[in-house]
Amino acid sequence: MRPLYRFNGGVHPPQHKEESSGHPIVPAPLPARLVVPVHQHIGNPAKPLVQPGDRVLKGQLIAQAEGYVSAAVHAPTSGTVSTVAMHLVPHPSGLPDLCITVEADGEDRWIERQPIDYRELDASTLRNRLRDAGVVGLGGAVFPTFIKLNPGAQQRVPTLILNGAECEPWITCDDRLMRERAAQIVAGIAVMRFMLGSQEVLVGIEDNKPEAIAAMAEACAQSAFPIEVVAVPTLYPAGGAKQLIKVLTGKEAPSSGRSTDVGVACFNVATAYTVHRAVDHGEPVVSRVVTVTGNVREPRNFEALIGTPVSDLVAAAGGAREGTDRLVMGGPMMGFDLPSPEVPLVKACNCVIAASPALFKPAPAPMPCIRCGRCARACPVELQPQELYWFARAKNFGKAQEYALFDCIECGCCSYVCPSHIPLVQYYRFAKSEIWAREKEKKAADLARERHEFRQLRLEREKRERAEKLAQKTAAKAAPAPGEADAKKAAILAAVERAKAKKAAAAPRNVDNLPPEALEEIAKIEARRAQVRDMARRPVAEEKEP
Amino acid sequence: MNPPYVTGSSSVSTIMLKVLLALLPAVAAYVLLFGPAILIGIALASATALACEAFMLRLRRYPIKPFLLDGSALVTAWLLALAMPPLAPWWLVVVGTAFAIVVAKQLYGGLGSNLFNPAMVGYAVMIISFPAQMTQWQAPHALASLHLSFLQELQYMFGGTLPDGAKLDAVTMATPLDTLRTQLKLGHSVETIRQMPIFGAFSGKGSETVAWCYLAGGLLLWQQRVITWHIPAAFLATLALAAGAFYLHDPAHFAPPWFHLMSGGAMLGAFFIATDPVTGATTPKGKLIFGAGIGLLTYIIRAFGNFPDGVAFAVLLMNICVPLIDAYTQPRVFGHPTKPGRGTQQ
């Protein structure tokens, strides 16, 4: 038996897994229209490559990764692009985001798929393949997987951990995936292990999923390399990456760094599955398994296309029962209210819960904090939530940061145990967003100050130069020295020219995340500008020549 | 709605209710050994606390119902009633409780905002203002020359009269701690003093049984996770260590550690008063320092100060130190090499 370690605190919320865990994964019906957000991952939004009217095939790249931290987005089915426009997306802010809408033609015809032999590719090509296949962490954080599969300067990451803990109540999509597709997960693990050069491979699964543990153990026994399936005690949030790493290895990933700093990489089991699909079948991420549960008639796990309206999924689960007042994406501990049932399924969405006041009772009115410290005892990051709460309330953001506010993973354990029912996580989110906003403001102010200082400097220099000139003039009156003034004029002209060129090159181009019409317009404006610039330049050049 | 959508079942009311329940064994022992006067004191204190709380909440325009039902005023009332002499004039407990609730709690901002333990503020004010009344403790049945009935106790508390011109000395006596202090001043040794009839196996007859009940109730609170072990353990261990050191050095003039542990407010203070979350330290290390500080100060005040018991003053003095203790005992955060709040003070 492998020795297991403990993280601080944690809670045992009611599980509610059995509602959906007993039924096999079923394919969700193909919707008539799919809305695919271009920003389904952490990092830069993908750049759309299609325009309204374009025909697309299933798996066709419709938006490409932009910048390093980004991932590609693909057409989930064959059909026609109808719009590339803003649409409501599943995000706590409730704000719309750029989406590509595909009208399905019903044929669901794949683009040509090219499986690759990962052993024959060099590491960086393989990583680019995963980026272009849109592989991101499916545990909820949706961090581009290819970045985590870069062992970097150490050349290899000794320990590879697969996260099958699935610690949030209600969610069972990873459980079902492990039960039904264990061999394919293991095939994905093989690719990851190859890329990271790991010696030790561990699969951590909470002990409330004995069937998944058995299925994974069986598949791992068939593997060409040793994989250890470890049952970890059921304790929320054991599925947090840093918490699972601690439980399995006793190592703490540094607050300021990444888990690879302690020689560990951690991936969700569903991510391993998509790596296998991308590499061994040439299939990009166009679908995922999602639990639809709560106040629905037939709670199920669906394999659904990305972009499927959440309302379709609820309908596929037999529809919402009476009393349903909203839909929640994710689990009850860290999930959020969906702004509308019409938002599309995204890569991050592992669960949709039809919520009702009976299911999730409204919290009683908050009472004052009595500093009982239950929150600190429950905090898996060993923070002092009661102190952070006071600092956030007092808007003492400096102190909040000093007390490691940004280490908070917003798991909700503190709120769960709080006898005063204080919405602690909300206070921390508020403080974090305030700090971000202030930092932004500060940066803008710094920039303005720099500009101002530069202007002052310039004015002073000009004043000095004028004075010098005047002095020269008076001196020249006494003894004229031709030629010198001409040379100076030429130098100034050259400097002006250089400044202009520099300015043109450094012109801000805020073209991320814009629909193609806007991009086109910008291009036109740029062309006109260049023309004007040319015209302005000519007389100067003519003057200069003679 | 905001996540988490599910919450645990604990609430401020259940915590306070558990504290009250854990006090019941001691209250029962009190009634059996000393008579029912303590019940009158508790009732008076409770009524006063609720009335004052409601009045102040109204003045401060706070919702009255949720704050009256949270039970915190009742806990203050019970603790104060148990800390005061049971057979005392009615106004003593009423004034003490009113001061605790109005000044020490509500004027500081109410539940969660008070710096000082309200019950101990009430106690301290009363012992300074009315030292005579505050030191007339009821003698246990086993020692009293006169047994008062419940009605006679009521008569004394509200009318100030005892039946048939009996003297107050017939029903009250000095506490063991008080007796020890006076007798030591008279030049007697601890050994001879403890031969006096009021002393039992560890400290005073009757009062030591009540102390055992506080210990039992306190362990119940610990088992129920209402309190952690840190403060009581540090408090009692430090008190025992300090008493033990002096006892070993000079057993004739210093009482043994077990006497100190089972006397006065030690057990009540360790499990029920010092563990008040609002006014105590919150970090594990901070709780140890806080508890140890109370234990040490209690011993110093008992052995060298002017008051027979020092728990109340020790608690209040350590309350002052809480922000400092908490600031310097922040635990290490997950994934951090060092502790926060060190070297980065602004």
Side-chain angles (χ1 to χ4, degrees), chain A residues 390-452:
Chain A
W390 288 115
F391 296 143
R393 255 187 83 140
K395 301 195 180 164
N396 190 347
F397 298 127
K399 269 284 185 199
Q401 272 174 287
E402 205 178 285
Y403 278 65
L405 170 71
F406 282 94
D407 282 86
C408 168
I409 57 171
E410 299 178 17
C411 65
C413 287
C414 51
S415 303
Y416 183 84
V417 298
C418 180
S420 291
H421 309 292
I422 300 168
L424 292 163
V425 178
Q426 265 48 250
Y427 278 96
Y428 309 146
R429 286 193 182 152
F430 160 75
K432 284 180 186 175
S433 60
E434 280 295 295
I435 291 167
W436 281 323
R438 280 180 191 197
E439 229 134 75
K440 232 183 199 172
E441 256 171 47
K442 192 174 167 281
K443 261 184 202 155
D446 282 349
L447 198 67
R449 199 187 56 241
E450 262 168 42
R451 280 192 187 134
H452 174 73

Side-chain angles (χ1 to χ4, degrees), chain B residues 61-210:
Chain B
R61 298 204 183 85
Y62 268 60
I64 291 176
K65 199 180 150 197
F67 284 96
L68 272 195
L69 290 182
D70 69 28
S72 60
L74 281 183
V75 168
T76 299
W78 284 38
L79 292 177
L80 190 53
L82 287 168
M84 283 187 160
L87 196 65
W90 64 272
W91 52 264
L92 201 67
V93 70
V94 168
V95 174
T97 312
F99 196 89
I101 296 292
V102 173
V103 179
K105 185 179 177 189
Q106 290 291 337
L107 288 188
Y108 273 88
L111 178 68
S113 299
N114 46 301
L115 293 180
F116 299 101
N117 188 307
M120 290 302 98
V121 171
Y123 178 87
V125 166
M126 298 318 280
I127 198 156
I128 292 168
S129 313
F130 308 100
Q133 287 87 341
M134 284 292 282
T135 42
Q136 280 166 0
W137 284 72
Q138 200 174 8
H141 284 327
L143 296 172
S145 52
L146 177 68
H147 285 210
L148 294 181
S149 70
F150 184 62
L151 266 179
Q152 286 167 330
E153 284 184 344
L154 270 178
Q155 240 169 17
Y156 174 73
M157 290 174 79
F158 288 94
T161 53
L162 285 171
D164 307 328
K167 282 189 180 158
L168 195 57
D169 288 354
V171 286
T172 65
M173 59 173 210
T175 62
L177 276 172
D178 222 355
T179 311
L180 183 76
R181 162 187 302 276
T182 3
Q183 295 299 320
L184 279 174
K185 273 189 188 152
L186 293 174
H188 299 292
S189 78
V190 170
E191 196 54 34
T192 33
I193 298 167
R194 293 197 64 228
Q195 301 304 318
M196 291 170 69
I198 69 157
F199 290 99
F202 295 95
S203 65
K205 275 194 189 123
S207 62
E208 62 184 18
T209 313
V210 176

